[in-house]
Each structure stands twice: as C-alpha cells, then as structure tokens.
C-alpha cells in the first residue's frame, strides 16, 4: 500500500505550505500538487496521481474541496477513487470521511463516508438553489425600483435628431442614417424604436 497526498490552491500566488505540512505530518509518502482552479479535474498533478493510484492505496487530502468546487463532480470523483480504483480516502479536516476498514459502532467507514458525502452534496445543492433564488429576488426588486442592468446606453451623437427626422421622412434609409452617425445599424434602429415608444407614451 502506498500513501498518496494531494494538495491544491486556486492560483499561482497562493501557498501550499500549510497543506503540505499537514500531509507530511500524516505520513504521506508521495505528494502531488496543483496550482489551478478546482472547476474541473483537468489538472496535471491530479491526473498523474490518478494514473498511479492502485487498489489498496490510500489517498489523503486536506479537505474535500481540494477535489473540486462542484459537489456533483466531487461525488463522481469520490466514486471513481473508492469504487472503481478501490482505493481508500482520508479527509484530514473531516474525520468521518475515512473509508478505511475501521468501523464506527459496527458501521463501516466506507458507509459512513458515503453517507456524509451525500449529505454534503444535498446541502450544497440547497445552498446553490437558495443563492439563485436570492439573486432572482434581488433583481426583481431592483427592476421594480427602476434600476437598469447591462451596459449603459450608447450616447446619441450630435446631429442624431436631424438624421432621425430625415429617416422618418424617407429622405434616407436607416442604414444611411447609421452610416452618417458612424454607429451600427442595430444601435440606430434601437434609438428610433425608443423614440417611437416615448412618443406613444406621451401621446
């Protein structure tokens, strides 16, 4: 059995020292590291570790989020390590996440670990849904107050009123008017439509 350790930080500026010290104190024999975001598993150090990991080996990680930020992906990766490769996992900052053969009151560590992971995934999914709902409520409230989102409107250049009048009277086309004002046709059409809406509201 080989004891592997994996540590990760999200950017090149962050330090790995604390994670590495904790892994070495545990007795890790082979260390793999990455300085990349946890948004996916396309990380050189982690991929090399997965190629080396064999049945009966032990993988030690400082915390479960070292595997990734998305708990759905973390669950799948946990299944690949423990069920497909048949290796064990120990998470240092969460003692219940320990799949080794030791038992807790007659229940195996694998069962307890899987149960805890499922609970973490459920809580994380609820939190994501709550965040989206709070964002939606915040946007709705801001719209009700008249707050406008997106890029600020393109300022209308000098001479717009004269050019717009010429277009409305059929003297030039919308494309010609946009060319005179040196703006895109879509922008010019949006201005004309806004003017029409404003006139209809005032009528």
């Amino acid at each position: 059995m080989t004891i592997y350790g994996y540590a990760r930080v999200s950017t090149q500026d962050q330090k790995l020292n604390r994670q590495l010290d904790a892994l070495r104190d545990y007795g890790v024999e082979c260390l793999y590291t990455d300085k990349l975001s946890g948004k996916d598993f396309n990380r050189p150090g982690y991929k090399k570790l997965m190629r080396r990991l064999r049945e009966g080996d032990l993988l030690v990680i400082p915390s479960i989020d070292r595997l990734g930020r998305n708990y759905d992906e973390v669950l799948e990766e946990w299944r690949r390590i423990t069920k497909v490769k048949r290796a064990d996992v120990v998470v240092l900052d969460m003692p219940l996440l320990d799949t080794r053969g030791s038992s807790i009151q007659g229940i195996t560590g694998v069962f307890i670990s899987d149960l805890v992971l499922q609970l973490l995934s459920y809580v994380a999914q609820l939190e994501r849904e709550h965040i989206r709902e709070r964002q939606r409520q915040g946007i709705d409230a801001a719209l009700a107050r008249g707050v406008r989102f997106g890029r600020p409107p393109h300022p209308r250049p000098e001479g717009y009123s004269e050019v717009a009048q010429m277009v409305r009277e059929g003297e030039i086309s919308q494309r010609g008017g946009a060319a005179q004002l040196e703006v895109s046709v879509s922008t010019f059409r949006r201005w004309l439509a806004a003017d029409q809406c404003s006139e209809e509201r005032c009528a």
Side-chain angles (χ1 to χ4, degrees), residues 48-87:
K48 187 180 294 185
L49 165 64
M50 288 297 102
R51 288 195 296 269
R52 296 283 182 86
L53 197 64
R54 297 288 184 269
E55 181 176 350
D57 288 339
L58 174 63
L59 173 59
V60 184
I61 54 177
S63 59
I64 193 63
D65 62 0
R66 296 307 85 192
L67 292 179
R69 294 182 299 184
N70 184 308
Y71 267 90
D72 293 331
E73 292 180 355
V74 170
L75 280 172
E76 177 58 28
E77 200 64 13
W78 184 274
R79 186 198 66 81
R80 182 161 78 103
I81 294 169
T82 60
K83 304 298 193 299
V84 178
K85 288 186 170 290
R86 302 184 68 84

Side-chain angles (χ1 to χ4, degrees), residues 9 11-15 35:
V9 289
T11 67
Q12 292 291 329
D13 297 332
Q14 292 177 296
K15 303 298 182 183
K35 287 193 172 185

Side-chain angles (χ1 to χ4, degrees), residues 81-196:
I81 294 169
T82 60
K83 304 298 193 299
V84 178
K85 288 186 170 290
R86 302 184 68 84
D88 284 309
V89 184
V90 168
V91 182
L92 295 181
D93 70 351
M94 192 168 292
L96 284 177
L97 291 180
D98 181 346
T99 65
R100 291 173 300 175
S102 61
S103 61
I104 304 174
Q105 296 180 351
I107 303 176
T108 65
V110 174
F111 175 78
I112 290 293
S113 297
D114 287 351
L115 193 62
V116 171
L117 262 185
Q118 291 291 337
L119 178 60
L120 288 174
S121 178
Y122 173 73
V123 171
Q125 182 64 36
L126 278 182
E127 181 59 22
R128 285 195 296 270
E129 292 176 0
H130 289 160
I131 289 172
R132 284 196 294 266
E133 178 62 19
R134 288 195 295 269
Q135 288 173 338
R136 188 190 64 77
Q137 291 174 351
I139 291 172
D140 288 347
L143 290 172
R145 296 195 305 271
V147 175
R148 300 187 65 179
F149 294 93
R151 293 181 298 178
H154 195 296
R156 303 185 187 193
E158 185 177 351
Y160 164 76
S161 297
E162 292 79 3
V163 172
Q165 186 62 32
M166 292 169 65
V167 170
R168 281 192 285 268
E169 293 176 356
E171 296 180 22
I172 58 173
S173 66
Q174 292 183 356
R175 188 173 298 278
Q180 285 194 33
L181 297 173
E182 298 182 344
V183 298
S184 69
V185 177
S186 60
T187 295
F188 186 61
R189 286 174 177 165
R190 190 162 55 248
W191 289 340
L192 293 174
D195 289 348
Q196 184 175 354

